[in-house]
Amino acid sequence: MADLDALKTKYLDGIAAASDEAALEELRLAALGKKGEISLMMRELGKMTPEERTSTGAALNRLKDDIDTALRAAKTAMADAALNARLATEWLDVTLPGRPLRQGSIHPVSQVMEEVTAIFADMGFAVAEGPQVESDWFNFDALNIPPEHPARQEHDTFFMNRAEGDDRPPHVLRTHTSPVQIRSMTEQGAPIRVIAPGRVYRMDMDQTHTPMFHQIEGLAIGKDISMANLKWVLEEFFTAFFGIKVKTRFRASHFPFTEPSAEVDIQCSWIDGQLRIGEGDGWMEVLGSGMVHPKVLKAAGVDPEEYQGFAFGMGIDRLAMLKYGIPDLRAFFESDLRWLRHYGFAALDMPTVHGGLNK
Ligand code: DAH
């Protein structure tokens, strides 16, 4: 029988010197595996006399336990060392100040659209929508603007490209939100009260014009709706929007889709180059309006003998410039982050009539 003390020294030294788990496993197999040195010695016990078996068996069991304990201890030590190494390299200073998250902001046009919608919703107007690529029938003909009408040229229309042989009706980028009047009346009939905010397009570009801009259309049709209702609704609107009592002035005008037609000015003053809405004896034009033309009602399937009402259309970008003191329209659509941060609104700053619309 080999010298058990020598064996013990050999394995314990080996375990102490092992550099990784694979080396430990190799030592375990060499000693305690099926064909390991100590397992083979255990098998020899059967051939011994009872006395020899008792003493050698006990000694072998102790040796086995010693090696097993040393292997486990070495394994645990290796795992601890690996964890400590990770903790040393992956530490995190939780006392550092957080990095600021850049927040987006609401564009003044979106903000004003929400404000305008909230005010008209409070007066019982629903929101209607229509397509930005519109057939020329909805954009012009149904609104009493026949092909030879001069207004059709004034609109500087963008026409959609048509392949040769395409016999669908010509389409345009809508030049105003007025076609939504026709679509809403065709779908819902009368009586009706809607506003339609949205994008419109015209070939135009200078400090106060961009090829794409925003309008809001208003339409109220019933049995006895008159210009007086129009005036009240608009004054109520401007007063809520600007947060100060605003007078309006109606000037006779002409639009093919209304009869009579009026351009509407709001009261303002210019003092030392400063514009103030709702005071003074100056006037500023802000919208077109009128009583919806019987031909327009007919085109939308509403009987002009039974129903009448008013319509109006105004520029949303212009309203935003006036309310928030923004000088150049072109900057609205340049996506300059410095501009957006300066004129933008906080995301949760939702306008409501009762919450106060003015800041
Ligand atoms: N559609 C007109 C434009 O873009 C604005 C307008 C004028 C709309 C009078 C109306 C209206 O509904 O009655 O210039």
Side-chain angles (χ1 to χ4, degrees):
M1 174 86 17
D3 181 346
L4 295 191
D5 284 337
L7 264 184
K8 179 173 170 177
T9 311
K10 175 175 122 185
Y11 279 108
L12 293 192
D13 286 353
I15 291 169
S19 58
D20 56 16
E21 284 200 28
L24 287 179
E25 180 62 8
E26 224 167 82
L27 285 165
R28 190 187 69 78
L29 288 173
L32 312 173
K34 251 194 198 161
K35 290 184 182 161
E37 237 175 323
I38 294 164
S39 310
L40 291 179
M41 288 168 83
M42 294 285 229
R43 278 195 224 157
E44 298 296 313
L45 289 175
K47 296 177 192 160
M48 294 179 183
T49 64
E51 295 77 33
E52 275 178 329
R53 192 181 306 147
T54 314
S55 65
T56 313
L60 279 176
N61 270 336
R62 247 179 282 124
L63 177 57
K64 208 176 130 184
D65 281 349
D66 287 346
I67 294 176
D68 195 50
T69 308
L71 281 169
R72 279 175 205 279
K75 247 190 187 172
T76 311
M78 277 180 193
D80 285 350
L83 182 61
N84 283 333
R86 269 188 67 189
L87 288 174
T89 53
E90 294 179 13
W91 65 278
L92 185 73
D93 185 353
V94 292
T95 64
L96 281 176
R99 295 195 190 109
L101 270 187
R102 280 243 173 261
Q103 270 185 339
S105 59
I106 304 293
H107 195 285
V109 169
S110 307
Q111 179 77 12
V112 166
M113 253 191 214
E114 293 284 347
E115 292 175 4
V116 172
T117 308
I119 298 170
F120 280 110
D122 215 46
M123 291 192 272
F125 285 77
V127 174
E129 281 183 309
Q132 293 176 41
V133 175
E134 187 56 283
S135 79
D136 66 351
W137 187 82
F138 277 108
N139 194 79
F140 295 121
D141 302 73
L143 289 160
N144 193 31
I145 316 177
E148 66 286 355
H149 198 286
R152 207 141 157 165
Q153 271 72 55
E154 282 161 23
H155 274 217
D156 298 319
T157 313
F158 286 108
F159 289 89
M160 301 303 290
N161 192 26
R162 295 170 87 209
E164 208 164 321
D166 186 346
D167 55 3
R168 287 177 301 176
H171 279 67
V172 300
L173 289 181
R174 69 177 177 194
T175 57
H176 49 181
T177 42
S178 303
V180 186
Q181 287 186 32
I182 308 296
R183 290 186 175 271
S184 327
M185 284 191 281
T186 309
E187 277 163 28
Q188 296 175 41
I192 188 172
R193 232 183 306 173
V194 288
I195 49 161
R199 293 183 170 172
V200 300
Y201 303 83
R202 287 183 206 176
M203 259 183 276
D204 217 347
M205 183 76 173
D206 59 35
Q207 199 182 347
T208 52
H209 295 92
T210 48
M212 184 280 294
F213 58 105
H214 300 83
Q215 283 189 339
I216 187 156
E217 193 79 12
L219 175 73
I221 303 292
K223 300 238 163 164
D224 52 11
I225 291 180
S226 71
M227 286 289 258
N229 301 124
L230 170 65
K231 188 165 169 84
W232 181 86
V233 163
L234 290 178
E235 288 201 349
E236 198 70 8
F237 164 70
F238 285 116
T239 298
F241 182 74
F242 288 109
I244 179 172
K245 179 83 196 138
V246 179
K247 281 191 200 144
T248 60
R249 182 175 76 172
F250 280 50
R251 275 180 297 106
S253 181
H254 175 264
F255 298 103
F257 28 89
T258 43
E259 183 57 41
S261 303
E263 279 178 319
V264 177
D265 305 335
I266 52 174
Q267 179 193 8
C268 69
S269 73
W270 279 102
I271 298 169
D272 298 331
Q274 261 242 330
L275 173 70
R276 282 173 202 273
I277 307 283
E279 61 178 55
D281 48 14
W283 296 100
M284 171 174 299
E285 185 197 322
V286 281
L287 62 85
S289 64
M291 295 300 289
V292 178
H293 198 290
K295 281 191 179 169
V296 173
L297 293 174
K298 230 185 256 170
V302 170
D303 181 2
E305 298 296 324
E306 204 182 343
Y307 290 103
Q308 63 177 36
F310 64 76
F312 60 85
M314 64 186 148
I316 293 180
D317 318 273
R318 184 83 191 297
L319 283 182
M321 292 169 82
L322 289 177
K323 180 162 175 179
Y324 296 113
I326 307 172
D328 190 333
L329 177 66
R330 288 169 298 193
F332 273 66
F333 311 117
E334 281 170 358
S335 301
D336 183 330
L337 280 177
R338 292 164 303 178
W339 188 92
L340 289 168
R341 283 187 195 123
H342 181 77
Y343 288 110
F345 292 81
L348 293 176
D349 195 1
M350 291 307 281
T352 60
V353 177
H354 19 278
L357 289 154
N358 310 284
K359 282 162 270 286

